[in-house]
């Protein structure tokens, strides 16, 4: 060890490292393709800086991390100036994806994609009826953007499942054994998915450090890595309503206030509020069926919001993304993989210009069939003092979208009143302004 330290002090190691890197790069078949998996941000830039010194025109760098899409676009442009090709590739699948193949979303240089297409097709998750879960997403940072929205949808999915659990446990008084059975049964039908499957497993795991079940010992404080926040920020930037995804982010923020919530519970308990308000006895079987329908209907809204966000960014950037193809590559490998995605692909196959998943004939029919149960569950949760922000905001999204006329006319009148922002009329074209204050004062005389 002493000899190694002496070599290091003399600067021998940097020389050796340089020699090793040179030999490594000269041994790779040209054009060289380097895939890096490092933490997003500055470490990626530093790694690219180090790699690019040893690369030649036509070589390719692929970033397989969850990177902010604009960083990918910046890097692709910088690499192009050096004659190098660049791909920003979103990868989803977690530990299981690493073992059995992930869903991959490469965007950037199409020439770079063609260099690695054969490999990606082989290492990606394979779905028997739709093939490898990878495709060339599009130009620029489209791959990273699609992966970001995938994660936003994932936030919504997880929140909706958590709310279903809360209603069943807190109002229905289902035990963990019953919850395990319910979610296992749900995973055989329309809700069949990776997240429902693992949720069923979670309810069946006993605590190895004490009595009872492990899920009950897990602290109710959710972490996050930022992609959900990015999704909500992008929705706001593009004026796309994404209330289900936004509410799931807010739920995580509120879960982080554990100490404050503990103190708040003491304050309101003294005012007669327990964790759950008094509610009538419910029929377990009926409640389980209602919650299943609510979860499915809310899920449609969450995916509709995510797909609309992707389409809006695609139009802004000229990416020409194929929404049905995105649903296809999410059917395997990724965290939101579900049988439900096949329905989404078919919806966009039927109509590539579909304005919203809610108005696809099949999804519209299913929403109508489930909306009564949906309203019952949301009302039951509100009356029980249980927060269901995902289910409630999904229902509000549906109710707003399906109505021909909203109270926005009053909001616009208010804006014109205090700020002379003008308004449009339903009967005469053009923009109008009214001296609301003057007319109101005259009428008071």
């Amino acid at each position: 060890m002493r000899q190694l330290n002496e070599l290091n002090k003399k600067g021998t190691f940097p020389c050796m490292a340089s020699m090793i890197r040179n030999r490594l790069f000269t041994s790779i078949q040209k054009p060289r393709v380097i895939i890096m998996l490092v933490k997003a941000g500055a470490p990626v830039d530093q790694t690219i800086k180090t790699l690019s010194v040893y690369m030649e025109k036509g070589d390719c760098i692929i970033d397989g991390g969850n990177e902010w899409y604009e960083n990918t676009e910046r890097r692709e442009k910088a690499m192009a100036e050096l004659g190098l090709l660049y791909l920003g590739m979103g990868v989803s699948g977690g530990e299981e994806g690493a073992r059995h193949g992930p869903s991959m979303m490469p965007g950037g240089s199409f020439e770079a994609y063609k260099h690695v297409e054969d490999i990606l097709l082989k290492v990606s998750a394979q779905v028997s009826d739709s093939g490898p879960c990878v495709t060339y997403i599009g130009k620029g940072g489209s791959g990273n953007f699609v992966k970001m929205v995938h994660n936003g949808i994932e936030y919504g999915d997880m929140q909706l499942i958590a709310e279903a659990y809360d209603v069943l446990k807190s109002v229905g008084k289902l035990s963990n054994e019953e919850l395990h059975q319910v979610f296992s049964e749900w995973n055989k039908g329309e809700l069949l998915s990776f997240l429902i499957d693992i949720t069923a497993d979670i309810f069946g795991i006993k605590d190895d450090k004490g009595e009872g079940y492990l899920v009950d010992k897990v602290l109710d404080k959710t972490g996050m890595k930022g992609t959900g926040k990015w999704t909500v920020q992008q929705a706001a930037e593009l004026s796309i309503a994404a209330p289900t995804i936004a509410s799931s982010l807010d739920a995580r923020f509120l879960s982080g206030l554990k100490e404050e919530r503990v103190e708040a519970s003491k304050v309101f308990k003294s005012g007669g509020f327990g964790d759950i308000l008094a509610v009538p006895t419910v029929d377990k079987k009926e409640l389980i069926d209602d919650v299943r329908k609510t979860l499915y209907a809310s899920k449609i809204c969450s995916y509709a919001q995510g797909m609309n966000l992707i389409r809006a960014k695609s139009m802004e950037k000229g990416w020409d993304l194929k929404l049905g193809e995105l649903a296809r590559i999410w059917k395997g490998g990724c965290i939101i993989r579900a049988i439900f995605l096949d329905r989404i692909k078919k919806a966009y196959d039927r109509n590539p210009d579909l304005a919203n998943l809610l108005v696809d004939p099949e999804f519209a029919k299913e929403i109508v069939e489930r909306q009564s149960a949906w309203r019952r569950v949301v009302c039951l949760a509100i009356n029980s003092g249980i927060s269901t922000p995902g289910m409630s905001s999904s229902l509000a999204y549906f109710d707003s979208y399906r109505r021909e006329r909203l109270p926005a006319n009053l909001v616009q009148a208010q804006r014109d009143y205090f700020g002379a922002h003008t308004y449009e009329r339903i009967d005469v074209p053009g923009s109008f302004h009214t001296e609301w204050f003057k007319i109101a004062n005259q009428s008071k005389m």
Side-chain angles (χ1 to χ4, degrees):
M1 180 62 71
R2 185 171 62 253
Q3 289 175 325
L4 292 175
N5 287 334
E6 287 301 315
L7 287 172
N8 190 28
K9 289 177 184 177
K10 293 176 181 179
T12 306
F13 276 4
C15 293
M16 291 175 64
S18 178
M19 182 174 65
I20 291 170
R21 282 194 291 265
N22 278 324
R23 287 180 178 177
L24 172 65
F25 275 86
T26 55
S27 67
I28 300 175
Q29 181 179 341
K30 298 181 180 181
R32 303 177 185 90
V33 177
I34 306 297
I35 299 177
M36 58 182 182
L37 292 165
V38 297
K39 186 178 179 181
V44 176
D45 290 313
Q46 184 58 51
T47 304
I48 291 172
K49 182 179 179 180
T50 302
L51 290 173
S52 61
V53 173
Y54 300 93
M55 302 185 82
E56 300 173 1
K57 186 175 180 179
D59 288 349
C60 173
I61 296 177
I62 301 174
D63 175 17
N66 285 336
E67 184 58 89
W68 175 237
Y69 82 99
E70 289 182 340
N71 285 341
T72 295
E73 299 196 325
R74 169 178 57 80
R75 291 166 186 150
E76 184 190 9
K77 183 178 179 180
M79 291 300 96
E81 292 174 356
L82 298 175
L84 303 178
L85 306 177
Y86 193 82
L87 273 181
M89 183 170 68
V91 180
S92 177
E95 293 182 2
E96 189 172 333
R99 291 193 294 268
H100 305 293
S103 173
M104 294 182 283
M105 293 148 261
S109 166
F110 182 68
E111 186 180 350
Y113 173 74
K114 296 306 289 185
H115 284 329
V116 294
E117 182 179 31
D118 288 346
I119 296 173
L120 298 183
L121 290 173
K122 291 175 182 176
V123 302
S124 64
Q126 308 292 313
V127 177
S128 59
D129 63 349
S130 59
C133 294
V134 63
T135 190
Y136 175 69
I137 300 299
K139 296 179 291 184
S142 59
N144 288 127
F145 189 88
V146 166
K147 175 57 167 61
M148 177 198 75
V149 177
H150 161 285
N151 285 19
I153 293 171
E154 177 186 309
Y155 273 49
D157 255 359
M158 295 173 73
Q159 178 62 29
L160 292 170
I161 291 170
E163 292 172 18
Y165 154 63
D166 197 9
V167 172
L168 292 175
K169 180 181 177 66
S170 300
V171 180
K173 307 300 180 185
L174 271 70
S175 65
N176 286 317
E177 294 95 327
E178 289 173 315
L179 288 165
H180 170 72
Q181 293 169 0
V182 166
F183 277 79
S184 296
E185 191 61 32
W186 283 357
N187 201 45
K188 298 174 184 177
E190 62 191 11
L191 291 173
L192 189 156
S193 65
F194 172 72
L195 286 171
I196 293 292
D197 186 30
I198 67 170
T199 301
D201 286 346
I202 288 168
F203 290 130
I205 303 297
K206 296 284 186 70
D207 182 13
D208 62 352
K209 293 181 174 58
E211 296 294 321
Y213 287 81
L214 181 56
V215 67
D216 297 324
K217 308 294 177 61
V218 176
L219 181 66
D220 55 322
K221 190 173 180 179
T222 309
M224 67 191 86
K225 291 186 176 180
T227 45
K229 183 177 179 180
W230 289 349
T231 304
V232 174
Q233 289 172 331
Q234 279 296 292
E237 287 286 333
L238 292 163
S239 300
I240 298 296
T244 309
I245 298 172
S247 66
S248 70
L249 183 64
D250 287 340
R252 293 194 182 198
F253 292 154
L254 283 165
S255 78
L257 304 177
K258 177 63 177 179
E259 293 76 14
E260 291 183 38
R261 290 189 288 111
V262 169
E263 292 305 311
S265 70
K266 295 175 184 177
V267 171
F268 290 103
K269 187 173 290 185
S270 65
F273 286 88
D275 277 352
I276 304 299
L277 303 183
V279 293
T281 303
V282 296
D283 182 290
K284 277 189 179 183
K285 186 176 180 180
E286 290 180 2
L287 179 63
I288 291 168
D289 192 52
D290 276 357
V291 172
R292 174 184 60 80
K293 292 175 179 175
T294 299
L295 181 53
Y296 185 78
S298 299
K299 187 182 178 81
I300 294 173
C301 291
S302 183
Y303 278 74
Q305 294 160 27
M307 288 302 191
N308 285 353
L309 176 54
I310 291 173
R311 181 179 57 195
K313 178 58 74 171
S314 177
M315 293 173 64
E316 179 191 72
K317 303 289 287 187
W319 286 338
D320 192 29
L321 303 186
K322 304 295 187 289
L323 300 185
E325 183 66 357
L326 300 183
R328 183 192 69 77
I329 68 169
W330 288 344
K331 285 177 61 180
C334 70
I335 304 304
I336 64 171
R337 61 184 182 270
I339 193 172
F340 171 82
L341 285 158
D342 194 50
R343 311 285 303 282
I344 294 178
K345 181 183 184 305
K346 289 177 180 176
Y348 286 113
D349 286 346
R350 283 191 293 270
N351 181 6
D353 298 320
L354 186 66
N356 193 303
L357 283 175
L358 295 181
V359 294
D360 171 73
E362 289 196 13
F363 281 127
K365 181 175 180 292
E366 291 179 329
I367 285 278
V368 170
E369 292 171 348
R370 290 161 176 75
Q371 61 100 18
S372 294
W374 198 359
R375 297 182 194 284
R376 284 196 296 271
V377 169
V378 170
C379 287
L380 178 63
I382 291 171
N383 289 330
S384 303
I386 295 174
S387 174
T388 53
M391 292 175 175
S392 301
S393 60
S394 294
L395 181 57
Y397 177 79
F398 165 66
D399 278 336
S400 294
Y401 191 73
R402 69 171 179 78
R403 292 184 65 191
E404 182 179 351
R405 188 167 174 83
L406 293 171
N409 57 314
L410 178 58
V411 175
Q412 194 61 11
Q414 291 169 333
R415 294 181 72 243
D416 189 53
Y417 190 121
F418 65 69
H421 293 293
T422 75
Y423 58 90
E424 295 176 273
R425 295 179 60 96
I426 61 175
D427 53 351
V428 181
S431 295
F432 298 86
H433 169 61
T434 296
E435 296 289 342
W436 303 86
F437 179 76
K438 183 184 296 184
I439 296 171
N441 276 348
Q442 288 174 351
S443 67
K444 293 174 184 176
M445 292 179 179

